[in-house]
């Protein structure tokens, strides 16, 4: 079976990405050289730090870590300042929640990598971490981001 062709009853076979994969330009800028040199821990740590700093810069919030992610993305009882969809249906709120939790996961991964010195010599896992950071940067690029309110800059 050739990838992308009809298999049975209208189902398609799995396909591979078209063309070579590239990290988000910002992740590529901060991490690719480190990764190519085999400095996987530092490449991943720098990507996560940059992603968190980008959330802070784009939202204008002074917070860090989980607090920053909660204030930026949490759909609990409010419309969050950073939205990935129209935020009208339960499905859209569920999607928002899932993306919010991915961003919170990056905080936990950053904290672990920053506070534990351990051998990290798996290029495949490093690539997947960088691809996750790239995905989240791309989602942030297309998100709707409300500026901080002059009466409540920390929302």
């Amino acid at each position: 079976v050739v990838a992308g062709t009809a298999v049975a009853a209208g189902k398609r076979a799995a396909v591979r990405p078209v063309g070579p994969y590239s990290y988000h330009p910002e992740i590529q800028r901060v991490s690719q050289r480190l990764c190519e040199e085999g400095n996987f821990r530092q490449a991943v740590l720098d990507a996560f730090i940059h992603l968190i700093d980008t959330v802070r810069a784009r939202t204008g919030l002074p917070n860090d870590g989980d607090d920053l992610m909660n204030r930026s993305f949490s759909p609990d009882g409010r419309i969050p300042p950073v939205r990935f969809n129209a935020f009208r249906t339960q499905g859209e709120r569920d999607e928002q929640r899932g993306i919010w939790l991915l961003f919170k996961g990056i905080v936990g991964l950053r904290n672990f990598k920053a506070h534990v010195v351990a051998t990290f010599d798996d290029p495949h896992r490093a690539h997947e971490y960088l691809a996750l950071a790239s995905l989240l940067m791309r989602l942030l690029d297309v998100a709707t981001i409300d500026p901080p309110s002059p009466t409540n800059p920390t929302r």
Side-chain angles (χ1 to χ4, degrees):
V1 173
V2 176
T5 61
V7 176
K11 291 186 178 184
R12 292 189 172 267
V15 296
R16 294 183 183 263
V18 177
Y21 175 81
S22 295
Y23 298 123
H24 182 279
E26 286 297 302
I27 299 304
Q28 198 165 0
R29 182 181 64 77
V30 301
S31 298
Q32 186 160 337
R33 182 183 53 77
L34 289 165
C35 197
E36 288 171 353
E37 293 170 351
N39 296 316
F40 305 127
R41 178 182 173 273
Q42 194 64 51
V44 170
L45 180 60
D46 285 5
F48 292 166
I49 289 170
H50 184 72
L51 177 62
I52 294 165
D53 285 345
T54 301
V55 171
R56 185 181 303 108
R58 292 190 187 174
T59 62
L61 294 169
N63 313 82
D64 188 32
D66 278 347
D67 191 41
L68 173 64
M69 299 310 162
N70 293 339
R71 291 177 186 269
S72 298
F73 307 113
S74 174
D76 291 342
R78 68 190 183 110
I79 297 174
V82 181
R83 295 175 306 284
F84 302 100
N85 55 52
F87 206 72
R88 291 189 187 114
T89 66
Q90 184 60 49
E92 289 172 338
R93 287 188 290 277
D94 290 346
E95 178 186 45
Q96 177 79 24
R97 175 173 295 286
I99 296 171
W100 164 48
L101 294 174
L102 288 171
F103 274 93
K104 284 181 63 116
I106 290 293
V107 170
L109 292 168
R110 178 220 40 193
N111 291 347
F112 179 77
K113 301 242 175 288
H115 297 290
V116 174
V117 177
T119 301
F120 181 17
D121 59 359
D122 185 340
H124 298 286
R125 181 172 286 185
H127 163 70
E128 289 168 341
Y129 280 146
L130 295 178
L132 175 59
S134 291
L135 168 65
L136 295 178
M137 285 293 291
R138 288 184 173 109
L139 287 169
L140 202 54
D141 285 347
V142 298
T144 299
I145 304 175
D146 297 332
S149 159
T151 58
N152 185 10
T154 60
R155 294 191 178 98

